[in-house]
Amino acid sequence: MFIIDTKVYLSETRQLTIKAGGNVVIQDETNKSEFDIPSECWLSFTKEFERIESAVKLFCDKQLYAKYFHHIGKGLYVSVTPGFRCVDIRRFYVKLGSLNPTRKGVALKLPEWRSLYGALRAKPPVSDAVCRGNEESNHSDDVWSLASSSPFTI
């Protein structure tokens, strides 16, 4: 059994929704856009949370140069770069041997990142079995039943 459509509010205008099977959608009400993250990419992303947070802390707290860039699958990359105070999840493509960003992606502002990071720390990431849609798994509670553990859910 899956918990369907678990929501985490990242800000007043953005929310993250975990759909059945572990796919994730980030919705932005300001420009009425959505960004879909497949379950296997979401799992890879959540496994990188501590490294991403370390990069964010380096340039926020200590004003040091920090750069983080990691492939999370299916052409999606997550990055933290100096000059852009955000955690960027974006689709890239290869042209003439060079990796180039597309317009398809989402840049989480630092308060939005903190909301997401805090929610994940309150509840561990979705298990591999749940992300693959294994209904035989006994990990249905891993799909963020955050209602009791985070102020960002509804």
Side-chain angles (χ1 to χ4, degrees), residues 33-46:
S33 65
E34 289 186 353
F35 182 68
D36 297 315
I37 304 173
S39 59
E40 57 272 17
C41 298
W42 176 250
L43 181 63
S44 179
F45 177 61
T46 59

Side-chain angles (χ1 to χ4, degrees), residues 94-112:
V94 176
K95 182 177 180 182
L96 301 173
S98 178
L99 198 57
N100 300 289
T102 68
R103 293 182 62 127
K104 295 179 182 173
V106 62
L108 298 175
K109 298 171 189 157
L110 294 184
E112 294 169 339

Side-chain angles (χ1 to χ4, degrees), residues 98-138:
S98 178
L99 198 57
N100 300 289
T102 68
R103 293 182 62 127
K104 295 179 182 173
V106 62
L108 298 175
K109 298 171 189 157
L110 294 184
E112 294 169 339
W113 163 252
R114 296 283 188 210
S115 295
L116 181 57
Y117 181 72
L120 253 190
R121 289 192 60 171
K123 188 74 173 175
V126 179
S127 72
D128 289 315
V130 172
C131 269
R132 287 191 302 268
N134 181 356
E135 293 187 35
E136 307 264 329
S137 169
N138 291 326

Side-chain angles (χ1 to χ4, degrees), residues 22-33:
N23 288 344
V24 172
V25 177
I26 298 175
Q27 298 165 311
D28 188 329
E29 294 176 15
T30 303
N31 57 15
K32 306 293 184 209
S33 65

